[in-house]
Amino acid sequence: MTDAAPAAEAALRTPRERARARTIEDIVRIGREHLALHGAAALSLRAVARDLGVVSSAVYRYVESREELLTLLLVDAYNELGDAVDAAVGARPENDFTGRFEALGAAVRNWALAQPASYALLFGSPVPGYQAPAERTTGPGTRVVVALVAILDGAWRAGNLSEAGPHAADVDVTALLAADLANIRGEMGLAVPDPVLASGVLVWTSLFGAISFEVFGQYGPDAFVARDELFAHHLGVLARLAGLRT
Amino acid sequence: MTDAAPAAEAALRTPRERARARTIEDIVRIGREHLALHGAAALSLRAVARDLGVVSSAVYRYVESREELLTLLLVDAYNELGDAVDAAVGARPENDFTGRFEALGAAVRNWALAQPASYALLFGSPVPGYQAPAERTTGPGTRVVVALVAILDGAWRAGNLSEAGPHAADVDVTALLAADLANIRGEMGLAVPDPVLASGVLVWTSLFGAISFEVFGQYGPDAFVARDELFAHHLGVLARLAGLRT
DNA sequence: TGTACATCAGTGAACGCGCGTTCACTGATGTAC
DNA sequence: TGTACATCAGTGAACGCGCGTTCACTGATGTAC
C-alpha cells in the first residue's frame, strides 16, 4: 500500500475521515452488543457513549438521534444477513436450485440463532415509536426475498420447477390475489405463474415462521431436542411445496 | 339474584372482594390499552395508575410488580385468543376437519389483526428482562396448538387424513426427530404417525409465520392489497400440507 | 342494635435511577497561503 | 518551511422527564361480640 491511490472512490482520504468512519463502526458494534443484551426498546445512546469511553453528548457528533442509531443497526443487520445468505447460496452450483434453496434457509436460520437480538429487530415485533425510513431500509431489507425468488424463478425458467407443487395446484388463486401477483411479477421481472408465486410467498413466510418459533422460544424448552433435524425436515417439505424437485 | 347462594365456589362473597376483583380487571384492561399504544417494553405501572385515577403506589395493593402485570396481560391475552379459537372451531361440525382447521387459522388471524400488540406480546420478540413464569402461562399458552393437533388427530382417527400430504410423504424423518415426535405423541395421547405429525408442526409454525408477517408489516405497505385472499390461499395450501382432504 | 377493633384501599412524599438532547467551551488536528 | 485561521472531536454542566418501589399515614369499610 502506497499513498499513491487517490482515485479510489470509496476510500477515505484524510485521517480524520478514517477516524470518523471507525468511530461510527464502533458505535454500531457497541449498539449491536446492547441490542443483544437488552433489546431494541432499551437501546440507549448514553449507554453506548459509556461503552465507547466518551461523554454522552459526544455521540451526537456521529449520530443524529437514537432513532438514527436504530436505523444504522437495522441496515447493518439486514446487510449482514443478506451477505450470509448470498455467500451460502453462491457456494452451490447455479443449477442446483434445491441445494440453493436449502442453503438459503439454513443461512437465515444460522444467522438468526447466532444473532437473536438482531433477528428480533428485523423480524420480531415492531419497536414502539420507531418507524424505519423506507428509503434507507427497503433495499437491504428485501435481499433475502429477492434471493429466494431468484432461485424459484431460475428453477422455473430452467424447467426444474413443477407447474405447481402437488398441494398448491388445486387451491384457487382469486382474481384480486392474481392482480397482486401480477404486479409483483412485473416489478421483479419474473416468469413464474400464479400458483407457483403464491406458494412461494407461503414458503417465504413459513421459513421465517419456523425460524421465529425457534429463536423466540415458542416451542417451549423441552418439546424438541432435535432442532437441526426438525428444521431440515421443514426445509425439505418447503422445497417440495415450492415445487422444487429433489 | 338473591344473596342466598353461598355455595358458589367461584363467586366473590363480600363487596370488598368484588370491588377488588373489579379493580384488577380495570388494571388489566388499562394495561392492555397501554400495550396497544406503546408496546410491552414501555408498559409502566405509573402510567396505569394515572389512567386508573389513583396514585402510583396504590397499584401495588393489587399487583406485586411490573413483572406480574406483564404476566397477567400474557395470560389474559392467551385466554382471549384461546376462547376465540375454541368458539370458531366449535361452530363447525365435529367431522368437518378441514372447516375446523380453516376456522382456527382465520380466528387466530382475526384476533391478531384486532389486537396486534397483544399478539406481539405472545408471538413476537421476547420482552427483554422478562421471563414468563411457566406454571402460570403454559396452560393458556398451549391452547391453540392443542386445538390444532386435536383437529389433525381427530381427522386421522376418522380416516380423513392422508397418510401424509403428498409433499411430506417422501421427506425423511430422522431417528432423533422421531424420538421427539414419539414423546409428543405420548404426552398428548395422539395417534398420528410421524410424517403427519412432523408436517403438522410445520403447518403450525407456518400459520403463525404468515400471520406475523402481516401483523408486523413484513410484506411492506404495497405488495399485497388482497390480504384476505392471500391468507385464504395460504390456509388452503396448509390444509393440504397437513393432509386434510377438501 | 351498638360499640371496639381489625382490615384494607388509597395518599403523598421520598429514594435513586437512567434517559434524550442542548449548549457554550476547550484543545487538538488539519488547511491555505 | 512557517504562520494564521478554520474545522472538528470531545467535555461538562444542565434541562426536564418518567420510571419502579418503599413507607408511614389517614380514613373508610367490615367483623366480632
Side-chain angles (χ1 to χ4, degrees), chain A residues 76-197:
Chain A
D76 180 66
Y78 272 131
N79 277 324
E80 201 183 70
L81 172 61
D83 289 347
V85 164
D86 287 349
V89 169
R92 301 294 183 99
E94 260 196 63
N95 62 345
D96 178 10
F97 300 104
T98 304
R100 289 194 151 210
F101 170 77
E102 290 177 344
L104 180 147
V108 174
R109 174 171 178 258
N110 289 337
W111 183 82
L113 291 175
Q115 318 282 344
S118 295
Y119 179 84
L121 178 62
L122 304 190
F123 300 103
S125 344
V127 180
Y130 171 71
Q131 178 71 9
E135 69 279 8
R136 289 172 70 180
T137 57
T138 298
T142 52
R143 287 179 60 181
V144 172
V145 68
V146 165
L148 175 61
V149 301
I151 293 170
L152 297 183
D153 199 62
W156 173 259
R157 288 174 197 265
N160 275 313
L161 206 68
S162 324
E163 163 73 38
H167 290 308
D170 49 343
V171 177
D172 282 344
V173 172
T174 62
L176 260 178
L177 179 53
D180 284 339
L181 297 176
N183 279 338
I184 292 169
R185 195 162 31 232
E187 278 170 25
M188 301 183 80
L190 306 179
V192 285
D194 279 353
V196 174
L197 187 50

Side-chain angles (χ1 to χ4, degrees), chain A:
Chain A
M1 275 216 224
T2 78
D3 53 3
E9 251 301 297
L12 299 170
R13 291 148 304 251
T14 73
R16 248 190 195 163
E17 270 175 324
R18 260 178 281 126
R20 188 178 173 79
R22 256 241 303 256
T23 303
I24 291 184
E25 276 169 33
D26 285 348
I27 288 174
V28 170
R29 185 178 42 75
I30 294 169
R32 286 182 48 165
E33 292 168 15
H34 285 235
L35 208 63
L37 289 173
H38 315 106
L43 184 74
S44 129
L45 283 189
R46 289 188 101 111
V48 169
R50 272 195 298 277
D51 278 19
L52 193 61
V54 117
V55 103
S56 70
S57 53
V59 184
Y60 286 82
R61 295 270 165 211
Y62 300 95
V63 156
E64 225 179 19
S65 65
R66 180 179 174 276
E67 281 240 321
E68 206 210 334
L69 178 55
L70 271 176
T71 301
L72 288 177
L73 293 172
L74 203 68
V75 171
D76 180 66
Y78 272 131
N79 277 324
E80 201 183 70
L81 172 61
D83 289 347
V85 164
D86 287 349
V89 169
R92 301 294 183 99
E94 260 196 63
N95 62 345
D96 178 10
F97 300 104
T98 304
R100 289 194 151 210
F101 170 77
E102 290 177 344
L104 180 147
V108 174
R109 174 171 178 258
N110 289 337
W111 183 82
L113 291 175
Q115 318 282 344
S118 295
Y119 179 84
L121 178 62
L122 304 190
F123 300 103
S125 344
V127 180
Y130 171 71
Q131 178 71 9
E135 69 279 8
R136 289 172 70 180
T137 57
T138 298
T142 52
R143 287 179 60 181
V144 172
V145 68
V146 165
L148 175 61
V149 301
I151 293 170
L152 297 183
D153 199 62
W156 173 259
R157 288 174 197 265
N160 275 313
L161 206 68
S162 324
E163 163 73 38
H167 290 308
D170 49 343
V171 177
D172 282 344
V173 172
T174 62
L176 260 178
L177 179 53
D180 284 339
L181 297 176
N183 279 338
I184 292 169
R185 195 162 31 232
E187 278 170 25
M188 301 183 80
L190 306 179
V192 285
D194 279 353
V196 174
L197 187 50
S199 292
V201 174
L202 178 59
V203 166
W204 175 44
T205 66
S206 298
L207 175 66
F208 282 91
I211 292 170
S212 291
F213 260 43
E214 196 175 342
V215 173
F216 297 161
Q218 296 289 344
Y219 285 137
D222 306 318
F224 287 102
V225 175
R227 303 213 163 171
D228 290 353
E229 282 83 358
L230 179 65
F231 185 73
H233 181 272
H234 287 174
L235 266 192
V237 175
L238 289 176
R240 278 167 184 74
L241 181 57
L244 290 163
R245 310 185 199 284
T246 41

Side-chain angles (χ1 to χ4, degrees), chain B residues 20 23-24 27 56-64 68:
Chain B
R20 187 178 172 80
T23 304
I24 291 183
I27 289 174
S56 71
S57 52
V59 184
Y60 285 84
R61 295 270 165 214
Y62 301 93
V63 155
E64 226 181 19
E68 207 209 332

Side-chain angles (χ1 to χ4, degrees), chain B residues 15-217:
Chain B
R16 248 190 197 166
E17 271 174 324
R18 261 179 281 126
R20 187 178 172 80
R22 257 240 303 255
T23 304
I24 291 183
E25 276 168 32
D26 285 348
I27 289 174
V28 169
R29 184 179 42 75
I30 294 168
R32 286 181 47 164
E33 291 168 15
H34 286 234
L35 208 63
L37 289 174
H38 315 105
L43 182 73
S44 130
L45 284 188
R46 289 188 101 112
V48 169
R50 271 196 299 275
D51 277 19
L52 191 61
V54 116
V55 102
S56 71
S57 52
V59 184
Y60 285 84
R61 295 270 165 214
Y62 301 93
V63 155
E64 226 181 19
S65 65
R66 182 177 173 279
E67 281 240 321
E68 207 209 332
L69 179 55
L70 271 176
T71 301
L72 288 178
L73 293 172
L74 203 68
V75 171
D76 181 67
Y78 271 131
N79 278 324
E80 201 183 70
L81 172 61
D83 290 347
V85 164
D86 287 350
V89 170
R92 302 295 183 99
E94 260 196 64
N95 61 347
D96 178 10
F97 299 104
T98 303
R100 289 193 150 210
F101 171 77
E102 291 177 344
L104 181 147
V108 174
R109 174 171 179 260
N110 289 337
W111 183 81
L113 290 174
Q115 317 283 343
S118 295
Y119 179 84
L121 178 61
L122 304 189
F123 300 103
S125 344
V127 180
Y130 170 71
Q131 177 70 11
E135 69 279 9
R136 290 172 72 180
T137 56
T138 300
T142 53
R143 287 178 61 182
V144 172
V145 68
V146 165
L148 175 61
V149 301
I151 294 169
L152 297 183
D153 200 61
W156 172 259
R157 288 174 197 265
N160 275 313
L161 207 68
S162 322
E163 163 73 39
H167 290 310
D170 49 342
V171 177
D172 282 344
V173 172
T174 63
L176 260 178
L177 179 54
D180 284 339
L181 297 175
N183 279 337
I184 292 169
R185 195 160 34 231
E187 277 169 25
M188 301 183 80
L190 306 179
V192 285
D194 280 355
V196 174
L197 188 49
S199 291
V201 174
L202 178 58
V203 166
W204 174 43
T205 65
S206 297
L207 175 65
F208 282 90
I211 293 169
S212 291
F213 260 43
E214 195 174 342
V215 174
F216 297 160

